[in-house]
Amino acid sequence: MASPAPKSPEQSDKSKKYDRQLRLWGDHGQTALENCQVCLINATGLGTEILKSLVLPGIGGFTIVDGEKVTEEDLGINFFLDVDSIGKQRALVATQLLLELNNDVKGDYVDESIEQLLKNNPNFFSNFSVVIATSLNERALLPLSELLWNLGIPLIVAKSIGFIGYVRIQFQEHVVIESHPDSQNPDLRLDKPFTSLSQYVDSFDLNSMDLKDHAHIPYVIPLLKSLNEWRQYHNLALPSNFKEKEELRQLVRKGIKVNEDGLPEAEENFEEAVKAVNFAVTPTAVPKGIKKLLEDDCCINLTSKSKPFWILAKAVRDFVENEGEGCLPVRGTLPDMTADTNRYIALQQIYLQESLRCADIVHRRTQQLLHQLGQNTDLITEADTKMFCKHASNLAVFRGTKIADEYDPKLVNVSMISQGVEDPDSLMVYYVMLRGLDRFISDYNHQPGEFGDEHDIVKLKACISKLLSEWGCGSLSKDDYVHEIFRYGGAELHSISAFLGGCAAHEAIKLITGQYKPLHNTFIYDAITSNTETFVF
């Protein structure tokens, strides 16, 4: 009697719950989320939409800071408030309803305005992974920006008014190991085959193989054999132009078996080898962006306060200059290809073992550096080093700017603003409008148009003109945008906030997990035309 087929391992409840997102950022990304603490300032419609999109994937916990009571206006824009909430603490009600979305998440609230909290307990923010603020006026934004910048805590500021949305991200430095590029060439090292790869490829005698086996060897084997043969007649050089690459393709095609009629057999693996000439037969080199990163002062001149990222980068730099002979550690992964299972796995193991050998060299160097710097050698694990080496060709470093600096006319990027305002296709005008709106609220303590007073149009226009004058920019050519802001009356539309909330939450997840490249650094959304634009201030 035949034995039953083995069952696949049972998924844990957590794996089942978060299955789809685990495919995006993996177990380690999920662990980073579960260990983080997020602070939301103001439980507006936009604020709760952002937090909703963080609670659902399972952040560790959140705290809402909001000193307002729930009003009737809140009910029309905030799905996390109901009629029974009117008059209650907005932070309390929003916290209770958000916690119903995911029982893995812990939540707390502070029924106090941000201005009072900054004055009475500025150390409150020091334990958060990221702080998110909505509907924040200039008086609170500037000291908060300064405080979080000095603490090294990322700040996301979001605003939704009428059909306009805005997200601004502040961080000193953000490093990304897993940037998840949309596409990348496989790391096959055909120009510099390592010993085990050469030995494996040499073990195949293609001429003596029958058609079945011949048609199911990984394309790396016939391609490397053909490349080695081609290089023998070209002083070991690589094909560098179309003519030379075509010669190599013809050499690969000659290896295809022919049938009784002298016609080539349909061998898909050899066709894959022909196509791979374009992307696989190239000089292995350190990408320009990574070379610049490895030459960064933070990489070269480590200190006792250096972050793990830069210590690993220094170890990789040392590997490139020594054992790597000018190359990064082998990535250790193979693309899909036509092959039988055993030979594909054998080739996969060869690349994997070489990547582990490289990672082991880098890890030993990392431990030496940690010891020299007086840091705990447990700070960087072997798994951390393997991950770093695997993604070494796609590392990224972002250095941000302080939001408070945008409010200093001497530091703001005036030329970019001037050019943007003059460009009819640019959304820069909305940035100017929102900055003018902030100035209006600071001066008059209400939203323009909130009470239907048309004098607000003149006041708002004056605020914007004064702002442009401080920047040395000319005035706006027409007042249409000013009238539009007045027409909104400070109203927030839930559909706009829902879209913007998703965008802001995505950025928060990128910052928390250290995966995917974040928005850098100002995002404007125009819902009227469904256009978006990013500016770097």
Side-chain angles (χ1 to χ4, degrees), residues 197-213:
L197 176 60
S198 294
Q199 290 174 347
Y200 183 69
V201 171
D202 290 343
S203 69
F204 286 85
D205 182 0
L206 301 185
N207 294 326
S208 65
M209 299 177 75
D210 60 29
L211 177 60
K212 181 181 176 183
D213 286 339

Side-chain angles (χ1 to χ4, degrees), residues 346-405:
L347 183 62
Q348 192 178 49
Q349 284 298 311
I350 286 169
Y351 277 96
L352 177 61
Q353 291 304 315
E354 180 63 16
S355 72
L356 293 176
R357 187 189 72 82
C358 295
D360 184 58
I361 295 170
V362 173
H363 188 63
R364 289 202 302 269
R365 179 59 181 146
T366 300
Q367 295 299 298
Q368 290 174 359
L369 290 169
L370 287 169
H371 182 72
Q372 291 170 10
L373 296 169
Q375 296 198 32
N376 191 334
T377 52
D378 294 334
L379 183 65
I380 299 173
T381 66
E382 195 171 347
D384 294 333
T385 306
K386 288 177 182 176
M387 180 72 70
F388 196 90
C389 291
K390 180 180 179 181
H391 299 284
S393 59
N394 294 298
L395 303 172
V397 175
F398 295 88
R399 290 192 169 100
T401 55
K402 195 182 346 176
I403 292 176
D405 289 347

Side-chain angles (χ1 to χ4, degrees), residues 70-91:
V70 178
T71 64
E72 288 187 15
E73 288 78 7
D74 287 323
L75 303 185
I77 57 171
N78 197 327
F79 285 4
F80 290 91
L81 304 174
D82 53 35
V83 176
D84 295 335
S85 306
I86 294 177
K88 295 181 181 178
Q89 300 164 332
R90 192 164 68 178

